[in-house]
Amino acid sequence: MTTPPDARRWRFSVAPMMDWTDRHCRAFHRGMSRRALLYTEMVTTGAVIHGDRRRILGFDPVEQPVAVQLGGSDPRDLAEAARIAEAEGFCEVNLNVGCPSDRVQEGRFGACLMREPELVGAAVSAMKAAVRVPVTVKCRIGVDDQDPEEALDRMADAVAAAGVDALIVHARKAWLQGLSPKENRDIPPLDYGRVYRLKQRLPALPIAVNGGIASLDACHEHLRHVDGVMLGRAAYHDPELLLRVDPELFGEAAPLADGFEAVQAFEPHIARQLEAGVRLSSMTRHILGLFQGRPGARAFRRHLATEAVKPGAGLETLRAAVAQVRREQAAAA
């Protein structure tokens, strides 16, 4: 039997975000926090089992701790995909029970599984039997006309009975009809209190809250009630926020001083990937949020948006963008 993981591993994480949290984004984020738990984009069980695993699951060991998020509903397929992910080196397997896109609904996974807690429990049980790394679930508080009190309790009870290691709750309903995935991230009202009540009812289960969390101050408030916080868009659009995570939430020194050092720390990854044929823009698109609200930020974004997409663009393009920030900040001092 494996030792139950320490709940502090979920104290702060960056959410899995489609088209955003790829291996380049994760390598960049890791430079700013040693302790943040990072997640892949959601990958389907079919892609993991039958697809190009190097392309789908490839990551740099520097990204650790990094977890894989799976999309699927068949317990046997999820167990097989979990085995593969563990063999590839991921430190956790997470099941998506929150994505509301049409494609996900057609595949009978994501948020629509909120209606089938017993199936989710069976999936967790199968994955737990297949791997030694933690198995977690990310869900909503309900879908459509479900009562969030009943729906979330049923889901939490089902996965807890199956031995889930942690539950991450996006504190909104998902409306599967009538709202787009983007609208489902903003329009349904947030209900953090519902997640707090779940933690009070299940004190032994590590529970993290997600949805609309925009600052480290907000993280501190949530951590008075739950075990962890998961940030999505706030961490992506203002990545320097991650520089405060280790000192403020874990009592450890920040690995870097500022955004300038974050770019320098990212350069070796960029150099390796350029050698492998990856375009510069595929990596620099993840750092456009640096220097938010400071002189030079707009010039930085503009230079990378226009120059990094050009064939042959390399580190000199990135360094030229950073130089513009330094010049404008020096002029404003």
Side-chain angles (χ1 to χ4, degrees):
M1 178 180 294
T2 57
T3 302
D6 183 350
R8 278 175 60 87
R9 69 182 291 138
W10 295 287
R11 186 168 175 82
F12 182 91
S13 60
V14 178
M17 292 177 281
M18 293 300 294
D19 299 321
W20 287 4
T21 52
D22 63 16
R23 63 185 305 175
H24 310 305
C25 175
R26 298 191 305 266
F28 172 54
H29 284 176
R30 176 57 66 218
M32 290 178 283
S33 170
R34 295 188 181 95
R35 296 298 300 269
L37 177 59
L38 305 179
Y39 284 82
T40 69
E41 305 166 87
M42 183 188 71
V43 291
T44 65
T45 54
V48 171
I49 295 169
H50 304 294
D52 180 346
R53 293 176 190 171
R54 183 175 180 183
R55 179 181 62 82
I56 294 166
L57 296 177
F59 70 94
D60 190 318
V62 74
E63 298 170 34
Q64 291 283 20
V66 60
V68 64
Q69 186 183 65
L70 297 178
S73 59
D74 182 278
R76 289 171 298 181
D77 287 349
L78 283 163
E80 177 62 18
R83 276 192 291 268
I84 293 168
E86 181 182 48
E88 292 293 325
F90 289 98
C91 74
E92 173 189 326
V93 179
N94 176 265
L95 177 59
N96 184 317
V97 187
C99 181
S101 75
D102 291 340
R103 182 173 69 89
V104 163
Q105 292 180 59
E106 291 168 3
R108 195 190 174 200
F109 58 95
C112 64
L113 289 175
M114 288 298 298
R115 299 195 185 107
E116 300 186 76
E118 293 79 14
L119 177 59
V120 177
V124 169
S125 182
M127 289 189 287
K128 287 287 294 179
V131 301
R132 295 178 63 83
V133 297
V135 173
T136 63
V137 167
K138 185 172 187 285
C139 70
R140 295 280 184 136
I141 62 173
V143 295
D144 298 337
D145 294 322
Q146 284 185 323
D147 176 356
E149 297 297 324
E150 178 185 357
L152 186 56
D153 277 354
R154 286 185 63 206
M155 179 59 67
D157 289 346
V159 298
V164 79
D165 291 290
L167 184 64
I168 303 140
V169 185
H170 185 155
R172 306 180 197 266
K173 271 189 173 184
W175 288 91
L176 303 181
Q177 302 296 327
L179 292 181
S180 69
K182 181 178 184 301
E183 290 170 330
N184 264 302
R185 292 193 293 268
D186 295 303
I187 292 177
L190 285 160
D191 188 354
Y192 297 129
R194 177 66 193 94
V195 186
Y196 300 165
R197 290 193 296 278
L198 179 68
K199 179 59 188 178
Q200 290 169 352
R201 193 175 72 81
L202 298 174
L205 177 64
I207 293 175
V209 66
N210 168 241
I213 304 171
S215 69
L216 264 291
D217 289 342
C219 290
H220 285 293
E221 176 58 29
H222 288 301
L223 289 169
R224 294 176 56 237
H225 305 279
V226 293
D227 302 288
V229 288
M230 174 181 275
L231 270 66
R233 286 168 289 170
Y236 189 87
H237 291 307
D238 186 11
E240 285 173 278
L241 171 153
L242 296 172
L243 291 169
R244 296 171 53 199
V245 168
D246 293 5
E248 293 194 24
L249 300 184
F250 295 94
E252 300 175 5
L256 302 169
D258 54 27
F260 295 112
E261 288 193 5
V263 174
Q264 290 179 323
F266 194 35
E267 281 195 6
H269 174 86
I270 292 175
R272 289 192 299 271
Q273 297 299 314
L274 288 171
E275 284 288 324
V278 177
R279 293 174 67 94
L280 180 66
S281 58
S282 296
M283 296 172 278
T284 56
R285 70 187 182 98
H286 299 302
I287 72 173
L288 298 178
L290 283 173
F291 313 115
Q292 283 277 2
R294 299 203 294 280
R298 183 176 300 176
F300 175 79
R301 293 193 300 270
R302 184 170 57 245
H303 187 86
L304 289 179
T306 58
E307 300 300 319
V309 297
K310 294 181 178 179
L315 285 173
E316 71 285 347
T317 301
L318 173 60
R319 291 167 180 163
V322 173
Q324 292 194 39
V325 181
R326 291 189 184 278
R327 284 195 297 270
E328 292 199 27
Q329 290 195 7

